[in-house]
Amino acid sequence: ILNVEQSPQSLHVQEGDSTNFTCSFPSSNFYALHWYRWETAKSPEALFVMTLNGDEKKKGRISATLNTKEGYSYLYIKGSQPEDSATYLCAPPQGGSEKLVFGKGTKLTVNP
Amino acid sequence: DARVTQTPRDKVTEMGQEVTMRCQPILGHNTVFWYRQTMMQGLELLAYFRNRAPLDDSGMPKDRFSAEMPDATLATLKIQPSEPRDSAVYFCASGDGLAGGPFQETQYFGPGTRLLVL
């Protein structure tokens, strides 16, 4: 099974701070990388699907970059707000299938 | 606003009892996934279906778990007999297909069933 690592495990920032965290995955046989956002007591929601090396996706204040050669993706949040508090999960598909292998996530807390 | 629905939302049962969880995927979605959320493993895939056919159930303990899709609007996950270690939140997700390209299917998660086995 794929080894997907996310760091840091948790992060506390102040409202207005910009922040970023990392997802590492095997660089060989890369297919795609999914990012999901999971608020406490809710369900995971899709943020981005990234496929190409050098890809950059943006949704409001959240953006992500992808480096398939070295096997990592960064998620950035500009000017964090309390409503950004959530666990952010990354997930590459398991070798040639549609099964996503989710990392353990980075839990972000934005203090007002 | 199309959503995945799951029932029941909460279930408390005693060890040895049968538990059935139900999921209604978003209309038109032809992929259904069952996940279990645990503290140790995070989100782990139990099984998934495409066009009602099981594609992979390797994440599921076969001796007590079974997953089926009796029709396109209903997926079930059954545990018989249940054990305390099965206590977890079980999520169903439906996929919007491969229109965006291979391996790019977006999954839409239901609210989950919180199971407690005493």
Side-chain angles (χ1 to χ4, degrees), chain A residues 31 34 36 43 97 99 104, chain B residues 40 48 56 103 105 107 110-111:
Chain A
Y31 296 96
H34 296 245
Y36 281 77
S43 313
S97 79
K99 290 165 50 171
K104 296 256 171 64
Chain B
M40 293 298 294
Y48 80 106
D56 193 315
F103 314 112
E105 182 174 40
Q107 296 183 23

Side-chain angles (χ1 to χ4, degrees), chain A residues 69-84:
Chain A
K69 296 189 187 308
E70 296 182 38
Y72 65 84
S73 176
Y74 291 140
L75 192 85
Y76 299 91
I77 303 179
K78 185 177 176 182
S80 304
Q81 299 296 308
E83 57 264 31
D84 296 328

Side-chain angles (χ1 to χ4, degrees), chain B residues 11-19 64 79-87 115-118:
Chain B
K11 176 74 176 178
V12 181
T13 191
E14 292 187 346
M15 183 172 65
Q17 296 298 304
E18 178 178 297
V19 174
R64 299 182 300 106
I79 308 175
Q80 166 63 18
S82 57
E83 296 181 2
R85 61 181 165 146
D86 300 329
S87 299
L115 174 65
L116 178 61
V117 183
L118 302 173

Side-chain angles (χ1 to χ4, degrees), chain A residues 47-48 50 56-64 76 78:
Chain A
L47 276 175
F48 307 115
M50 310 182 79
E56 181 169 345
K57 295 272 175 109
K58 193 171 179 182
K59 194 173 193 174
R61 293 178 291 97
I62 304 176
S63 60
Y76 299 91
K78 185 177 176 182

Side-chain angles (χ1 to χ4, degrees), chain A:
Chain A
I1 201 162
L2 289 182
N3 184 27
V4 181
E5 294 187 358
Q6 292 191 246
S7 63
Q9 195 171 7
S10 65
L11 194 53
H12 290 250
V13 301
Q14 289 300 122
E15 182 174 354
D17 288 350
S18 293
T19 187
N20 66 85
F21 27 92
T22 308
C23 169
S24 300
F25 50 86
S27 57
S28 58
N29 298 319
F30 176 82
Y31 296 96
L33 185 75
H34 296 245
W35 279 99
Y36 281 77
R37 180 172 176 275
W38 193 356
E39 288 183 69
T40 302
K42 293 191 177 179
S43 313
E45 291 183 349
L47 276 175
F48 307 115
V49 181
M50 310 182 79
T51 55
L52 298 175
N53 185 44
D55 227 357
E56 181 169 345
K57 295 272 175 109
K58 193 171 179 182
K59 194 173 193 174
R61 293 178 291 97
I62 304 176
S63 60
T65 60
L66 179 67
N67 184 322
T68 61
K69 296 189 187 308
E70 296 182 38
Y72 65 84
S73 176
Y74 291 140
L75 192 85
Y76 299 91
I77 303 179
K78 185 177 176 182
S80 304
Q81 299 296 308
E83 57 264 31
D84 296 328
S85 298
T87 297
Y88 292 83
L89 303 170
C90 67
Q94 171 78 38
S97 79
E98 299 300 330
K99 290 165 50 171
L100 294 183
V101 179
F102 283 89
K104 296 256 171 64
T106 292
K107 183 173 182 178
L108 174 68
T109 304
V110 182
N111 299 309

